[in-house]
PDB file of all heavy atoms in Angstrom:
ATOM      1  N   PRO A   1      49.790  70.869 125.680  1.00  0.00           N
ATOM      2  CA  PRO A   1      50.831  71.682 126.283  1.00  0.00           C
ATOM      3  C   PRO A   1      51.295  70.902 127.500  1.00  0.00           C
ATOM      4  O   PRO A   1      50.609  70.386 128.331  1.00  0.00           O
ATOM      5  CB  PRO A   1      50.050  72.949 126.769  1.00  0.00           C
ATOM      6  CG  PRO A   1      48.597  72.619 126.700  1.00  0.00           C
ATOM      7  CD  PRO A   1      48.439  71.582 125.733  1.00  0.00           C
ATOM      8  N   LYS A   2      52.626  70.919 127.735  1.00  0.00           N
ATOM      9  CA  LYS A   2      53.256  70.181 128.767  1.00  0.00           C
ATOM     10  C   LYS A   2      53.432  71.272 129.910  1.00  0.00           C
ATOM     11  O   LYS A   2      53.824  72.404 129.688  1.00  0.00           O
ATOM     12  CB  LYS A   2      54.631  69.624 128.444  1.00  0.00           C
ATOM     13  CG  LYS A   2      54.573  68.808 127.184  1.00  0.00           C
ATOM     14  CD  LYS A   2      54.207  67.387 127.539  1.00  0.00           C
ATOM     15  CE  LYS A   2      54.462  66.456 126.414  1.00  0.00           C
ATOM     16  NZ  LYS A   2      53.393  66.389 125.308  1.00  0.00           N
ATOM     17  N   LYS A   3      53.192  70.836 131.123  1.00  0.00           N
ATOM     18  CA  LYS A   3      53.433  71.712 132.261  1.00  0.00           C
ATOM     19  C   LYS A   3      54.883  71.867 132.388  1.00  0.00           C
ATOM     20  O   LYS A   3      55.556  70.861 132.683  1.00  0.00           O
ATOM     21  CB  LYS A   3      52.679  71.214 133.464  1.00  0.00           C
ATOM     22  CG  LYS A   3      52.878  72.115 134.634  1.00  0.00           C
ATOM     23  CD  LYS A   3      52.195  71.612 135.877  1.00  0.00           C
ATOM     24  CE  LYS A   3      52.338  72.615 136.953  1.00  0.00           C
ATOM     25  NZ  LYS A   3      51.856  72.090 138.198  1.00  0.00           N
ATOM     26  N   GLN A   4      55.372  73.051 132.256  1.00  0.00           N
ATOM     27  CA  GLN A   4      56.804  73.325 132.385  1.00  0.00           C
ATOM     28  C   GLN A   4      57.170  73.735 133.776  1.00  0.00           C
ATOM     29  O   GLN A   4      56.503  74.658 134.216  1.00  0.00           O
ATOM     30  CB  GLN A   4      57.307  74.271 131.328  1.00  0.00           C
ATOM     31  CG  GLN A   4      57.115  73.774 129.929  1.00  0.00           C
ATOM     32  CD  GLN A   4      57.972  74.514 128.950  1.00  0.00           C
ATOM     33  OE1 GLN A   4      58.821  75.328 129.333  1.00  0.00           O
ATOM     34  NE2 GLN A   4      57.837  74.151 127.679  1.00  0.00           N
ATOM     35  N   SER A   5      58.014  73.048 134.389  1.00  0.00           N
ATOM     36  CA  SER A   5      58.448  73.545 135.734  1.00  0.00           C
ATOM     37  C   SER A   5      59.542  74.501 135.557  1.00  0.00           C
ATOM     38  O   SER A   5      60.412  74.376 134.659  1.00  0.00           O
ATOM     39  CB  SER A   5      58.861  72.338 136.571  1.00  0.00           C
ATOM     40  OG  SER A   5      59.924  71.668 135.976  1.00  0.00           O
ATOM     41  N   LEU A   6      59.503  75.455 136.397  1.00  0.00           N
ATOM     42  CA  LEU A   6      60.548  76.483 136.320  1.00  0.00           C
ATOM     43  C   LEU A   6      61.791  76.026 137.158  1.00  0.00           C
ATOM     44  O   LEU A   6      61.640  75.561 138.208  1.00  0.00           O
ATOM     45  CB  LEU A   6      60.008  77.857 136.979  1.00  0.00           C
ATOM     46  CG  LEU A   6      60.621  79.086 136.658  1.00  0.00           C
ATOM     47  CD1 LEU A   6      60.627  79.377 135.177  1.00  0.00           C
ATOM     48  CD2 LEU A   6      59.932  80.267 137.372  1.00  0.00           C
ATOM     49  N   ASP A   7      62.946  76.115 136.507  1.00  0.00           N
ATOM     50  CA  ASP A   7      64.173  75.628 137.133  1.00  0.00           C
ATOM     51  C   ASP A   7      64.629  76.769 138.042  1.00  0.00           C
ATOM     52  O   ASP A   7      65.171  77.783 137.667  1.00  0.00           O
ATOM     53  CB  ASP A   7      65.244  75.287 136.073  1.00  0.00           C
ATOM     54  CG  ASP A   7      66.460  74.837 136.685  1.00  0.00           C
ATOM     55  OD1 ASP A   7      66.640  74.741 137.838  1.00  0.00           O
ATOM     56  OD2 ASP A   7      67.415  74.536 135.783  1.00  0.00           O
ATOM     57  N   ILE A   8      64.371  76.594 139.377  1.00  0.00           N
ATOM     58  CA  ILE A   8      64.729  77.515 140.308  1.00  0.00           C
ATOM     59  C   ILE A   8      66.185  77.874 140.410  1.00  0.00           C
ATOM     60  O   ILE A   8      66.659  79.017 140.475  1.00  0.00           O
ATOM     61  CB  ILE A   8      64.311  77.121 141.776  1.00  0.00           C
ATOM     62  CG1 ILE A   8      62.766  76.823 141.775  1.00  0.00           C
ATOM     63  CG2 ILE A   8      64.616  78.095 142.825  1.00  0.00           C
ATOM     64  CD1 ILE A   8      61.860  78.051 141.510  1.00  0.00           C
ATOM     65  N   GLU A   9      67.098  76.790 140.344  1.00  0.00           N
ATOM     66  CA  GLU A   9      68.539  77.122 140.330  1.00  0.00           C
ATOM     67  C   GLU A   9      68.990  77.920 139.150  1.00  0.00           C
ATOM     68  O   GLU A   9      69.790  78.828 139.323  1.00  0.00           O
ATOM     69  CB  GLU A   9      69.286  75.798 140.394  1.00  0.00           C
ATOM     70  CG  GLU A   9      69.116  75.066 141.819  1.00  0.00           C
ATOM     71  CD  GLU A   9      69.402  75.899 143.019  1.00  0.00           C
ATOM     72  OE1 GLU A   9      70.468  76.581 143.021  1.00  0.00           O
ATOM     73  OE2 GLU A   9      68.575  75.969 143.886  1.00  0.00           O
ATOM     74  N   SER A  10      68.439  77.573 138.030  1.00  0.00           N
ATOM     75  CA  SER A  10      68.786  78.394 136.822  1.00  0.00           C
ATOM     76  C   SER A  10      68.255  79.836 136.904  1.00  0.00           C
ATOM     77  O   SER A  10      68.972  80.779 136.560  1.00  0.00           O
ATOM     78  CB  SER A  10      68.152  77.678 135.595  1.00  0.00           C
ATOM     79  OG  SER A  10      68.416  78.493 134.408  1.00  0.00           O
ATOM     80  N   LEU A  11      67.105  80.003 137.551  1.00  0.00           N
ATOM     81  CA  LEU A  11      66.601  81.325 137.734  1.00  0.00           C
ATOM     82  C   LEU A  11      67.394  82.170 138.669  1.00  0.00           C
ATOM     83  O   LEU A  11      67.632  83.373 138.531  1.00  0.00           O
ATOM     84  CB  LEU A  11      65.103  81.232 138.219  1.00  0.00           C
ATOM     85  CG  LEU A  11      64.245  82.507 138.284  1.00  0.00           C
ATOM     86  CD1 LEU A  11      64.321  83.251 136.967  1.00  0.00           C
ATOM     87  CD2 LEU A  11      62.869  82.203 138.663  1.00  0.00           C
ATOM     88  N   LYS A  12      67.887  81.502 139.775  1.00  0.00           N
ATOM     89  CA  LYS A  12      68.754  82.195 140.686  1.00  0.00           C
ATOM     90  C   LYS A  12      70.047  82.671 139.978  1.00  0.00           C
ATOM     91  O   LYS A  12      70.557  83.862 140.147  1.00  0.00           O
ATOM     92  CB  LYS A  12      69.197  81.263 141.853  1.00  0.00           C
ATOM     93  CG  LYS A  12      68.094  80.975 142.833  1.00  0.00           C
ATOM     94  CD  LYS A  12      68.559  80.011 143.869  1.00  0.00           C
ATOM     95  CE  LYS A  12      67.490  79.651 144.855  1.00  0.00           C
ATOM     96  NZ  LYS A  12      67.953  78.654 145.860  1.00  0.00           N
ATOM     97  N   LYS A  13      70.564  81.860 139.065  1.00  0.00           N
ATOM     98  CA  LYS A  13      71.776  82.233 138.273  1.00  0.00           C
ATOM     99  C   LYS A  13      71.422  83.393 137.359  1.00  0.00           C
ATOM    100  O   LYS A  13      72.256  84.341 137.234  1.00  0.00           O
ATOM    101  CB  LYS A  13      72.338  81.131 137.510  1.00  0.00           C
ATOM    102  CG  LYS A  13      72.951  80.045 138.354  1.00  0.00           C
ATOM    103  CD  LYS A  13      73.439  78.818 137.575  1.00  0.00           C
ATOM    104  CE  LYS A  13      73.984  77.717 138.441  1.00  0.00           C
ATOM    105  NZ  LYS A  13      74.208  76.511 137.708  1.00  0.00           N
ATOM    106  N   ASP A  14      70.263  83.346 136.789  1.00  0.00           N
ATOM    107  CA  ASP A  14      69.776  84.433 135.887  1.00  0.00           C
ATOM    108  C   ASP A  14      69.694  85.772 136.586  1.00  0.00           C
ATOM    109  O   ASP A  14      69.960  86.777 136.061  1.00  0.00           O
ATOM    110  CB  ASP A  14      68.445  84.084 135.223  1.00  0.00           C
ATOM    111  CG  ASP A  14      68.480  82.985 134.210  1.00  0.00           C
ATOM    112  OD1 ASP A  14      69.603  82.599 133.805  1.00  0.00           O
ATOM    113  OD2 ASP A  14      67.462  82.419 133.845  1.00  0.00           O
ATOM    114  N   ILE A  15      69.215  85.694 137.869  1.00  0.00           N
ATOM    115  CA  ILE A  15      69.083  86.922 138.659  1.00  0.00           C
ATOM    116  C   ILE A  15      70.425  87.532 138.869  1.00  0.00           C
ATOM    117  O   ILE A  15      70.634  88.721 138.778  1.00  0.00           O
ATOM    118  CB  ILE A  15      68.336  86.617 139.977  1.00  0.00           C
ATOM    119  CG1 ILE A  15      66.787  86.340 139.675  1.00  0.00           C
ATOM    120  CG2 ILE A  15      68.475  87.710 140.991  1.00  0.00           C
ATOM    121  CD1 ILE A  15      65.997  85.868 140.868  1.00  0.00           C
ATOM    122  N   VAL A  16      71.426  86.700 139.300  1.00  0.00           N
ATOM    123  CA  VAL A  16      72.751  87.185 139.563  1.00  0.00           C
ATOM    124  C   VAL A  16      73.367  87.794 138.298  1.00  0.00           C
ATOM    125  O   VAL A  16      73.932  88.885 138.289  1.00  0.00           O
ATOM    126  CB  VAL A  16      73.675  86.035 140.091  1.00  0.00           C
ATOM    127  CG1 VAL A  16      75.146  86.511 140.229  1.00  0.00           C
ATOM    128  CG2 VAL A  16      73.187  85.621 141.484  1.00  0.00           C
ATOM    129  N   THR A  17      73.246  87.061 137.186  1.00  0.00           N
ATOM    130  CA  THR A  17      73.742  87.604 135.875  1.00  0.00           C
ATOM    131  C   THR A  17      73.136  88.861 135.486  1.00  0.00           C
ATOM    132  O   THR A  17      73.801  89.768 135.085  1.00  0.00           O
ATOM    133  CB  THR A  17      73.507  86.540 134.759  1.00  0.00           C
ATOM    134  OG1 THR A  17      74.219  85.318 135.142  1.00  0.00           O
ATOM    135  CG2 THR A  17      74.074  86.977 133.492  1.00  0.00           C
ATOM    136  N   ALA A  18      71.765  88.890 135.692  1.00  0.00           N
ATOM    137  CA  ALA A  18      71.063  90.149 135.275  1.00  0.00           C
ATOM    138  C   ALA A  18      71.414  91.348 136.123  1.00  0.00           C
ATOM    139  O   ALA A  18      71.588  92.407 135.651  1.00  0.00           O
ATOM    140  CB  ALA A  18      69.520  89.868 135.364  1.00  0.00           C
ATOM    141  N   LYS A  19      71.607  91.068 137.423  1.00  0.00           N
ATOM    142  CA  LYS A  19      71.959  92.075 138.389  1.00  0.00           C
ATOM    143  C   LYS A  19      73.271  92.740 137.983  1.00  0.00           C
ATOM    144  O   LYS A  19      73.477  93.997 137.872  1.00  0.00           O
ATOM    145  CB  LYS A  19      72.085  91.555 139.777  1.00  0.00           C
ATOM    146  CG  LYS A  19      72.619  92.484 140.863  1.00  0.00           C
ATOM    147  CD  LYS A  19      72.859  91.748 142.133  1.00  0.00           C
ATOM    148  CE  LYS A  19      73.532  92.579 143.130  1.00  0.00           C
ATOM    149  NZ  LYS A  19      73.773  91.864 144.402  1.00  0.00           N
ATOM    150  N   GLU A  20      74.246  91.936 137.681  1.00  0.00           N
ATOM    151  CA  GLU A  20      75.591  92.435 137.297  1.00  0.00           C
ATOM    152  C   GLU A  20      75.521  93.151 135.911  1.00  0.00           C
ATOM    153  O   GLU A  20      76.102  94.209 135.770  1.00  0.00           O
ATOM    154  CB  GLU A  20      76.621  91.298 137.216  1.00  0.00           C
ATOM    155  CG  GLU A  20      76.821  90.683 138.591  1.00  0.00           C
ATOM    156  CD  GLU A  20      77.584  89.334 138.626  1.00  0.00           C
ATOM    157  OE1 GLU A  20      77.900  88.804 137.488  1.00  0.00           O
ATOM    158  OE2 GLU A  20      77.786  88.804 139.729  1.00  0.00           O
ATOM    159  N   TRP A  21      74.871  92.494 134.942  1.00  0.00           N
ATOM    160  CA  TRP A  21      74.756  93.054 133.571  1.00  0.00           C
ATOM    161  C   TRP A  21      74.106  94.405 133.592  1.00  0.00           C
ATOM    162  O   TRP A  21      74.582  95.404 132.960  1.00  0.00           O
ATOM    163  CB  TRP A  21      74.007  92.028 132.666  1.00  0.00           C
ATOM    164  CG  TRP A  21      73.878  92.624 131.281  1.00  0.00           C
ATOM    165  CD1 TRP A  21      74.821  92.637 130.277  1.00  0.00           C
ATOM    166  CD2 TRP A  21      72.706  93.165 130.812  1.00  0.00           C
ATOM    167  NE1 TRP A  21      74.224  93.238 129.165  1.00  0.00           N
ATOM    168  CE2 TRP A  21      72.993  93.574 129.440  1.00  0.00           C
ATOM    169  CE3 TRP A  21      71.344  93.462 131.269  1.00  0.00           C
ATOM    170  CZ2 TRP A  21      72.072  94.186 128.601  1.00  0.00           C
ATOM    171  CZ3 TRP A  21      70.462  94.082 130.436  1.00  0.00           C
ATOM    172  CH2 TRP A  21      70.797  94.341 129.094  1.00  0.00           C
ATOM    173  N   ILE A  22      72.976  94.541 134.307  1.00  0.00           N
ATOM    174  CA  ILE A  22      72.230  95.776 134.229  1.00  0.00           C
ATOM    175  C   ILE A  22      72.879  96.929 134.912  1.00  0.00           C
ATOM    176  O   ILE A  22      72.891  98.031 134.480  1.00  0.00           O
ATOM    177  CB  ILE A  22      70.740  95.676 134.739  1.00  0.00           C
ATOM    178  CG1 ILE A  22      69.845  96.792 134.215  1.00  0.00           C
ATOM    179  CG2 ILE A  22      70.724  95.484 136.306  1.00  0.00           C
ATOM    180  CD1 ILE A  22      69.654  96.860 132.741  1.00  0.00           C
ATOM    181  N   LYS A  23      73.679  96.595 136.022  1.00  0.00           N
ATOM    182  CA  LYS A  23      74.368  97.627 136.773  1.00  0.00           C
ATOM    183  C   LYS A  23      75.458  98.206 135.773  1.00  0.00           C
ATOM    184  O   LYS A  23      75.535  99.437 135.622  1.00  0.00           O
ATOM    185  CB  LYS A  23      75.076  97.021 137.985  1.00  0.00           C
ATOM    186  CG  LYS A  23      75.928  98.059 138.715  1.00  0.00           C
ATOM    187  CD  LYS A  23      76.534  97.414 139.952  1.00  0.00           C
ATOM    188  CE  LYS A  23      77.523  98.289 140.681  1.00  0.00           C
ATOM    189  NZ  LYS A  23      77.491  99.717 140.523  1.00  0.00           N
ATOM    190  N   THR A  24      76.168  97.371 135.141  1.00  0.00           N
ATOM    191  CA  THR A  24      77.124  97.811 134.167  1.00  0.00           C
ATOM    192  C   THR A  24      76.529  98.585 133.005  1.00  0.00           C
ATOM    193  O   THR A  24      77.020  99.639 132.646  1.00  0.00           O
ATOM    194  CB  THR A  24      77.983  96.541 133.629  1.00  0.00           C
ATOM    195  OG1 THR A  24      78.542  95.925 134.702  1.00  0.00           O
ATOM    196  CG2 THR A  24      79.076  97.037 132.665  1.00  0.00           C
ATOM    197  N   ALA A  25      75.483  98.001 132.467  1.00  0.00           N
ATOM    198  CA  ALA A  25      74.791  98.703 131.351  1.00  0.00           C
ATOM    199  C   ALA A  25      74.187 100.076 131.648  1.00  0.00           C
ATOM    200  O   ALA A  25      74.390 101.042 130.906  1.00  0.00           O
ATOM    201  CB  ALA A  25      73.642  97.739 130.817  1.00  0.00           C
ATOM    202  N   LEU A  26      73.623 100.178 132.789  1.00  0.00           N
ATOM    203  CA  LEU A  26      73.047 101.478 133.263  1.00  0.00           C
ATOM    204  C   LEU A  26      74.160 102.482 133.417  1.00  0.00           C
ATOM    205  O   LEU A  26      74.094 103.578 132.899  1.00  0.00           O
ATOM    206  CB  LEU A  26      72.162 101.272 134.490  1.00  0.00           C
ATOM    207  CG  LEU A  26      70.816 100.681 134.313  1.00  0.00           C
ATOM    208  CD1 LEU A  26      70.249 100.360 135.689  1.00  0.00           C
ATOM    209  CD2 LEU A  26      69.943 101.596 133.533  1.00  0.00           C
ATOM    210  N   GLU A  27      75.246 102.073 134.209  1.00  0.00           N
ATOM    211  CA  GLU A  27      76.300 103.028 134.437  1.00  0.00           C
ATOM    212  C   GLU A  27      77.003 103.447 133.145  1.00  0.00           C
ATOM    213  O   GLU A  27      77.360 104.565 132.989  1.00  0.00           O
ATOM    214  CB  GLU A  27      77.338 102.434 135.424  1.00  0.00           C
ATOM    215  CG  GLU A  27      76.736 102.290 136.823  1.00  0.00           C
ATOM    216  CD  GLU A  27      77.620 101.535 137.834  1.00  0.00           C
ATOM    217  OE1 GLU A  27      78.520 100.829 137.404  1.00  0.00           O
ATOM    218  OE2 GLU A  27      77.458 101.745 139.025  1.00  0.00           O
ATOM    219  N   SER A  28      77.184 102.528 132.252  1.00  0.00           N
ATOM    220  CA  SER A  28      77.868 102.921 131.003  1.00  0.00           C
ATOM    221  C   SER A  28      77.079 103.766 130.130  1.00  0.00           C
ATOM    222  O   SER A  28      77.602 104.488 129.239  1.00  0.00           O
ATOM    223  CB  SER A  28      78.271 101.611 130.188  1.00  0.00           C
ATOM    224  OG  SER A  28      77.145 100.987 129.737  1.00  0.00           O
ATOM    225  N   SER A  29      75.736 103.815 130.361  1.00  0.00           N
ATOM    226  CA  SER A  29      74.879 104.693 129.568  1.00  0.00           C
ATOM    227  C   SER A  29      74.575 106.058 130.321  1.00  0.00           C
ATOM    228  O   SER A  29      73.716 106.739 129.933  1.00  0.00           O
ATOM    229  CB  SER A  29      73.574 104.031 129.281  1.00  0.00           C
ATOM    230  OG  SER A  29      73.767 102.908 128.497  1.00  0.00           O
ATOM    231  N   GLY A  30      75.255 106.285 131.467  1.00  0.00           N
ATOM    232  CA  GLY A  30      75.160 107.458 132.259  1.00  0.00           C
ATOM    233  C   GLY A  30      74.052 107.531 133.251  1.00  0.00           C
ATOM    234  O   GLY A  30      73.605 108.574 133.743  1.00  0.00           O
ATOM    235  N   TYR A  31      73.612 106.343 133.751  1.00  0.00           N
ATOM    236  CA  TYR A  31      72.513 106.244 134.758  1.00  0.00           C
ATOM    237  C   TYR A  31      73.188 105.755 136.055  1.00  0.00           C
ATOM    238  O   TYR A  31      74.007 104.885 136.024  1.00  0.00           O
ATOM    239  CB  TYR A  31      71.423 105.324 134.297  1.00  0.00           C
ATOM    240  CG  TYR A  31      70.721 105.813 133.059  1.00  0.00           C
ATOM    241  CD1 TYR A  31      71.068 105.285 131.831  1.00  0.00           C
ATOM    242  CD2 TYR A  31      69.782 106.806 133.067  1.00  0.00           C
ATOM    243  CE1 TYR A  31      70.413 105.719 130.660  1.00  0.00           C
ATOM    244  CE2 TYR A  31      69.147 107.194 131.925  1.00  0.00           C
ATOM    245  CZ  TYR A  31      69.508 106.708 130.691  1.00  0.00           C
ATOM    246  OH  TYR A  31      68.929 107.107 129.548  1.00  0.00           O
ATOM    247  N   GLN A  32      72.650 106.353 137.181  1.00  0.00           N
ATOM    248  CA  GLN A  32      73.143 105.907 138.484  1.00  0.00           C
ATOM    249  C   GLN A  32      72.598 104.484 138.698  1.00  0.00           C
ATOM    250  O   GLN A  32      71.379 104.261 138.550  1.00  0.00           O
ATOM    251  CB  GLN A  32      72.600 106.826 139.546  1.00  0.00           C
ATOM    252  CG  GLN A  32      73.082 106.513 140.961  1.00  0.00           C
ATOM    253  CD  GLN A  32      72.450 107.459 142.037  1.00  0.00           C
ATOM    254  OE1 GLN A  32      71.965 108.532 141.640  1.00  0.00           O
ATOM    255  NE2 GLN A  32      72.481 107.100 143.207  1.00  0.00           N
ATOM    256  N   ALA A  33      73.498 103.586 139.258  1.00  0.00           N
ATOM    257  CA  ALA A  33      73.055 102.230 139.470  1.00  0.00           C
ATOM    258  C   ALA A  33      73.864 101.627 140.609  1.00  0.00           C
ATOM    259  O   ALA A  33      74.557 100.716 140.650  1.00  0.00           O
ATOM    260  CB  ALA A  33      73.324 101.348 138.199  1.00  0.00           C
ATOM    261  N   ASP A  34      73.613 102.326 141.815  1.00  0.00           N
ATOM    262  CA  ASP A  34      74.333 101.949 143.022  1.00  0.00           C
ATOM    263  C   ASP A  34      73.384 101.173 144.030  1.00  0.00           C
ATOM    264  O   ASP A  34      73.739 101.044 145.151  1.00  0.00           O
ATOM    265  CB  ASP A  34      74.981 103.154 143.746  1.00  0.00           C
ATOM    266  CG  ASP A  34      73.981 104.243 144.102  1.00  0.00           C
ATOM    267  OD1 ASP A  34      72.707 104.030 143.863  1.00  0.00           O
ATOM    268  OD2 ASP A  34      74.346 105.292 144.615  1.00  0.00           O
ATOM    269  N   PHE A  35      72.196 100.839 143.518  1.00  0.00           N
ATOM    270  CA  PHE A  35      71.264 100.092 144.370  1.00  0.00           C
ATOM    271  C   PHE A  35      70.707 100.895 145.498  1.00  0.00           C
ATOM    272  O   PHE A  35      70.245 100.354 146.507  1.00  0.00           O
ATOM    273  CB  PHE A  35      71.835  98.713 144.879  1.00  0.00           C
ATOM    274  CG  PHE A  35      72.157  97.823 143.666  1.00  0.00           C
ATOM    275  CD1 PHE A  35      73.475  97.709 143.245  1.00  0.00           C
ATOM    276  CD2 PHE A  35      71.193  97.030 143.072  1.00  0.00           C
ATOM    277  CE1 PHE A  35      73.817  96.841 142.109  1.00  0.00           C
ATOM    278  CE2 PHE A  35      71.542  96.255 142.002  1.00  0.00           C
ATOM    279  CZ  PHE A  35      72.779  96.198 141.560  1.00  0.00           C
TER     280      PHE A  35
END
């Protein structure tokens, strides 16, 4: 097994993408998502 390093910059982008996606997904399914 190779030690895989976590790409921090990619993870930061994933967080931003996930934040926007889940807010839209929750609201479109009838759940409050105003943080």
Side-chain angles (χ1 to χ4, degrees):
K2 307 278 190 280
K3 183 179 179 185
Q4 297 202 2
S5 59
L6 201 57
D7 182 359
I8 301 298
E9 291 308 311
S10 177
L11 190 53
K12 287 178 183 178
K13 290 176 186 174
D14 290 346
I15 288 171
V16 171
T17 302
K19 173 185 173 182
E20 295 166 359
W21 177 78
I22 198 65
K23 177 179 177 19
T24 303
L26 286 170
E27 290 175 340
S28 69
S29 298
Y31 299 98
Q32 180 182 347
D34 61 1
F35 298 98

